[in-house]
């Protein structure tokens, strides 16, 4: 599936524009991580793009979250590796490779980065690792972000925190104009 068709599917299945923006932010982080690891950008990007496809429908229903999306994606003929990555972000038993583990961290860090960008006059432009680390330490800032999923990135996928944040910032900056975070 190409990116245009994928975005169309996201717009069709989600109920809120904020969800689409979140999906695109995680896609940006995943594409940058794929670059860093020498992996397939399109595959990783689509995994990020689809990871919360059913969030508006499943809400706090952890049992069905990602499972509903997996069904939709299979119906659409999406690569099974992407389906596994979507399931992995919500269900640990599907974290079977680097991509399906990385999407967990990309989801968490994207939430933090978007929140940080929203409080900056220049939005995502010029964002620095040091300022993101300060926001990460402020528990009251973006309280919905699972900080453990950001902080344990080195043990999980082998990237030191500073490098992970730098790569993630770059990924967000790539999609920033598309999600209203560019200048």
């Amino acid at each position: 599936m190409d990116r245009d068709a994928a975005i169309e599917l996201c717009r069709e299945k989600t109920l809120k524009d904020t969800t689409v923006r979140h999906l695109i932010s995680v896609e940006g982080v995943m594409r940058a991580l794929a670059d860093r690891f020498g992996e397939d950008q399109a595959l990783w990007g689509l995994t990020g793009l689809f990871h919360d496809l059913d969030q508006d429908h499943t809400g706090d229903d952890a049992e069905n979250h990602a499972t509903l999306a997996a069904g939709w994606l299979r119906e659409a003929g999406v690569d099974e590796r992407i389906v596994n990555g979507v399931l992995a972000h919500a269900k640990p038993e599907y974290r079977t490779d680097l991509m399906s583990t990385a999407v967990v961290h990309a989801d968490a860090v994207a939430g933090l980065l978007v929140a940080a960008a929203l409080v900056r006059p220049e939005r995502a432009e010029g964002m620095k690792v040091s300022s993101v680390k300060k926001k990460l330490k402020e528990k009251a800032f973006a309280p919905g972000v699972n900080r453990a999923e950001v902080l344990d990135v080195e043990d999980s996928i082998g990237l030191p925190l500073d490098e992970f944040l730098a790569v993630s910032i770059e990924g967000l900056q790539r999609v920033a104009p598309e999600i209203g975070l560019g200048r």
Side-chain angles (χ1 to χ4, degrees):
M1 177 176 286
D2 71 15
R3 187 173 188 273
D4 289 341
I7 294 285
E8 183 62 33
L9 182 62
C10 289
R11 294 195 187 286
E12 176 187 315
K13 296 295 186 185
T14 59
L15 304 175
K16 299 183 275 190
D17 192 51
T18 54
T19 304
V20 175
R21 288 194 309 269
H22 170 65
L23 297 176
I24 293 170
S25 71
V26 177
E27 174 201 17
V29 171
M30 285 293 285
R31 283 180 176 275
L33 287 170
D35 272 355
R36 166 56 183 81
F37 287 112
E39 297 288 340
D40 184 329
Q41 257 197 54
L43 189 73
W44 283 51
L46 289 178
T47 300
L49 189 63
F50 291 142
H51 84 283
D52 265 346
L53 188 62
D54 62 11
Q55 180 65 46
D56 295 343
H57 299 275
T58 58
D60 292 332
D61 180 1
E63 184 69 28
N64 288 315
H65 180 48
T67 305
L68 179 60
W72 292 339
L73 294 170
R74 286 182 175 125
E75 284 173 19
V78 171
D79 187 309
E80 195 60 33
R81 294 171 294 176
I82 295 168
V83 175
N84 185 75
V86 168
L87 287 163
H89 102 276
K91 301 175 186 319
E93 64 269 25
Y94 290 93
R95 296 175 194 159
T96 56
D97 60 10
L98 184 59
M99 181 180 76
S100 61
T101 303
V103 71
V104 175
H105 303 291
D107 184 20
V109 80
L112 179 69
L113 294 177
V114 167
L118 286 170
V119 299
R120 302 177 74 242
E122 55 280 327
R123 300 294 191 209
E125 189 177 308
M127 188 180 285
K128 296 193 178 352
V129 168
S130 58
S131 62
V132 172
K133 284 177 80 172
K134 285 179 190 169
K135 295 293 186 193
L136 186 60
K137 290 177 185 175
E138 294 175 29
K139 300 279 188 252
F141 182 81
V145 169
N146 184 330
R147 281 158 165 75
E149 290 175 349
V150 175
L151 293 168
D152 73 354
V153 70
E154 186 165 8
D155 289 339
S156 181
I157 63 170
L159 279 185
L161 179 61
D162 284 11
E163 184 178 357
F164 173 65
L165 292 175
V167 168
S168 298
I169 289 167
E170 178 188 319
L172 180 70
Q173 288 170 336
R174 290 182 195 172
V175 297
E178 198 174 345
I179 59 173
L181 294 177
R183 284 218 292 182

